[in-house]
Amino acid sequence: MIAATSFAGRRVALFGLGGSGLATALSLKEGGADVTAWDDNPDQVEKAAAKGVETADLRGIDWSGIETLVLSPGVPLTHPKPHWTVELAEAAGAEIIGDVEIFVRERAVVAPGSPLIAITGTNGKSTTTALIAHIIEASGRDAQLGGNIGTPVLQLEAPAKDRFHVVECSSYQIDLAPSLNPSAGLLLNLTPDHLDRHGSMEHYAEIKERLVARSDVAVIAVDDGWTQAIADRLERVGTRVVRVSKNRPIDDGFFADGAMIREAAKGSASDFADLSDIPTLRGRHNAQNAAAAIAACRVVGLSDDEIRDGLSSFPGLKHRMQPVARRGDVVFVNDSKATNAEAAAPALSSYENIHWIAGGLPKQGGIDALEPLFPRIAKTYLIGEAASAFASVFGAHGEFEFSGTQTPWRMPPAMHRPPGAMPAQALWCYFHPLAPALTSSAISRSGAMPSLQKLRSSRGSKCLSKRQPRGSDRW
């Protein structure tokens, strides 16, 4: 845990005592701040109090001496309306920040200039973040992975000269981190998301832009109009920008040419890394993730050979096109984090001869946007509340059936892969009684599709797989 010594002696109010909120309260307390914390959930308040955090309803405290309000990222700052603690803080003239801002201030005090890579975007953040941390760790360096990806940033080891922090940042966290100044800041893409919390697409994009605008080097994927405009704008004001693209060649930066990542300089391009034999980085979306990771690792001083070695050994991120098993020539791929059509598209576009388990709870937009990918699907198995709606869309394009589910399910020993071995094909299935909004599963092989009752996939399951050449023992 990082002790927030830069807040020593300061009076701080904190609202939100979930995972990151409690970690922040303990960090501030350890650093010598006078913290008063609260949450609408009495269980969270009780848990914090049991750990020695002073708790009190912030409606009833004296705000005249409060210098800082630390807000959980899940609490509205501006939209749809400011949270009541925000109104109290603004009336008292207190600053309003989040845990990432506290981390940044500690870094400025204890290890200014220590390597910090911050990643944001609408989609792909977690894969890129995990890939960067893996490459750094595989090179023998100290990589600290956290932020929006899982581990709260203040639970990581403290900044140090030779310690690399790799931090995924949501728009909420960026909005509460006015001093965020990474060594390398990554912006991967922008599509409408969280607009209920930001009011408009323009405001959402402006918040995301802050991360790269304050970076020593901005790594920007320029495959949509919003990110292209941001890259152009930053270059005009003198920011060093490294562009990456999954869709087209660029004059300077890194771009994907099929499975090959190419490096361009002044219009001349050369091959940098071939992803075709890396199963965890298949698909055009992962080419973008890899290109951005290459650029970021270059910024913080890794050699090209270290980067290539790290790419080749990347195990993938759980539940995101994650190869988990093989049975015969069937690949089982865990992609259960894809909870809407946009998120499911990359996996469906990366495989053929797919048996797709889809369903769960319906989400706005359904699967209509996936129609161009339906020819890749051999058969669909529909489950959950969304089954009927999905059938009305898919039924005109291919074979489907309504299927039941059971939970829990344990993979038969015959499907387990040997320790340390990478399966030749992969499945993803999400075994949890609460289904994601859209779940999908694809299995391809010669022969019949195994019964879903035999698979016993849970209500939220998603699998993808692809036929490989016979005799293939590797991805």
Side-chain angles (χ1 to χ4, degrees):
M1 182 181 69
I2 298 171
T5 56
S6 57
F7 286 79
R10 301 181 64 174
R11 286 197 62 201
V12 178
L14 182 147
F15 185 86
L17 286 166
S20 66
L22 180 56
T24 302
L26 294 171
S27 168
L28 288 164
K29 180 176 180 291
E30 183 69 19
D34 179 5
V35 187
T36 304
W38 192 246
D39 194 293
D40 289 333
N41 185 335
D43 292 339
Q44 301 287 11
V45 174
E46 183 179 350
K47 183 177 179 180
K51 291 183 176 291
V53 176
E54 181 181 340
T55 60
D57 190 334
L58 299 182
R59 296 178 182 88
I61 68 170
D62 179 9
W63 280 82
S64 61
I66 298 294
E67 299 176 64
T68 303
L69 169 65
V70 177
L71 203 62
S72 168
V75 179
L77 179 62
T78 57
H79 293 82
K81 64 173 291 185
H83 191 259
W84 57 265
T85 55
V86 173
E87 295 175 340
L88 289 173
E90 289 176 341
E95 65 173 351
I96 304 170
I97 62 172
D99 62 338
V100 172
E101 176 67 12
I102 295 172
F103 170 83
V104 170
R105 295 187 189 183
E106 280 303 301
R107 172 178 176 250
V109 171
V110 303
S114 62
L116 169 61
I117 301 174
I119 302 95
T120 197
T122 304
N123 295 303
K125 299 187 296 294
S126 294
T127 298
T128 306
T129 303
L131 176 58
I132 292 169
H134 171 78
I135 293 170
I136 293 171
E137 185 174 36
S139 74
R141 295 170 171 85
D142 182 353
Q144 297 288 311
L145 170 66
N148 193 57
I149 195 172
T151 304
V153 68
L154 293 173
Q155 281 188 345
L156 302 176
E157 295 295 322
K161 179 182 177 182
D162 296 322
R163 180 170 288 151
F164 293 69
H165 283 83
V166 185
V167 181
E168 178 184 323
C169 294
S170 70
S171 56
Y172 308 152
Q173 291 170 314
I174 299 168
D175 211 9
L176 293 166
S179 304
L180 178 59
N181 59 340
S183 312
L186 279 65
L187 175 59
L188 300 178
N189 46 61
L190 283 174
T191 57
D193 199 17
H194 305 306
L195 301 191
D196 58 327
R197 283 284 303 272
H198 298 304
S200 68
M201 183 63 191
E202 288 75 15
H203 187 219
Y204 173 63
E206 184 272 326
I207 291 169
K208 293 285 194 179
E209 182 175 351
R210 294 176 201 169
L211 183 145
V212 286
R214 295 190 295 258
S215 302
D216 295 341
V217 178
V219 178
I220 303 178
V222 291
D223 291 320
D224 62 72
W226 293 98
T227 56
Q228 176 72 59
I230 289 169
D232 293 345
R233 189 158 47 244
L234 294 185
E235 283 188 330
R236 285 196 297 269
V237 299
T239 303
R240 182 186 166 196
V241 176
V242 178
R243 297 172 185 243
V244 302
S245 176
K246 64 181 179 180
N247 292 333
R248 58 184 172 84
I250 53 180
D251 290 337
D252 290 280
F254 294 89
F255 67 92
D257 181 3
M260 180 65 70
I261 303 301
R262 309 199 75 202
E263 180 180 10
K266 299 180 180 179
S268 178
S270 59
D271 294 348
F272 184 91
D274 186 354
L275 308 181
S276 59
D277 289 331
I278 307 175
T280 53
L281 293 175
R282 65 183 304 146
R284 196 166 59 172
H285 65 299
N286 274 326
Q288 182 191 72
N289 295 335
I294 291 166
C297 290
R298 270 271 193 88
V299 169
V300 295
L302 272 70
S303 72
D304 291 352
D305 286 343
E306 288 173 329
I307 295 170
R308 293 187 187 100
D309 288 345
L311 289 170
S312 65
S313 61
F314 181 52
L317 201 60
K318 290 183 178 180
H319 314 301
R320 290 174 176 84
M321 283 182 63
Q322 176 195 7
V324 295
R326 175 193 179 193
R327 190 174 190 180
D329 58 358
V330 180
V331 175
F332 295 85
V333 181
N334 179 343
D335 197 40
S336 57
K337 282 291 186 180
T339 61
N340 57 43
E342 182 180 12
L348 291 176
S349 64
S350 299
Y351 297 89
E352 296 177 353
N353 192 23
I354 296 166
H355 287 257
W356 189 36
I357 302 172
L361 301 176
K363 208 167 192 179
Q364 186 174 4
I367 59 172
D368 298 69
L370 297 174
E371 287 192 32
L373 300 173
F374 288 167
R376 294 174 171 268
I377 301 171
K379 187 173 180 178
T380 295
Y381 302 80
L382 299 171
I383 61 175
E385 293 180 17
S388 296
F390 287 4
S392 67
V393 177
F394 186 79
H397 299 272
E399 184 181 358
F400 72 91
E401 68 178 57
F402 294 103
S403 302
T405 60
Q406 297 179 9
T407 187
W409 178 74
R410 303 188 72 169
M411 185 179 291
M415 295 175 69
H416 289 179
R417 64 178 182 264
M422 176 64 72
Q425 312 219 29
L427 147 115
W428 90 231
C429 279
Y430 182 52
F431 304 108
H432 194 285
L434 299 177
L438 171 68
T439 57
S440 60
S441 169
I443 303 173
S444 70
R445 54 173 263 175
S446 57
M449 167 72 181
S451 161
L452 282 187
Q453 293 300 324
K454 291 180 180 178
L455 285 176
R456 294 185 180 179
S457 58
S458 75
R459 176 172 178 172
S461 79
K462 176 174 186 176
C463 309
L464 287 167
S465 68
K466 159 191 173 178
R467 180 184 311 218
Q468 289 204 321
R470 291 194 176 275
S472 173
D473 292 325
R474 55 180 292 184
W475 283 86

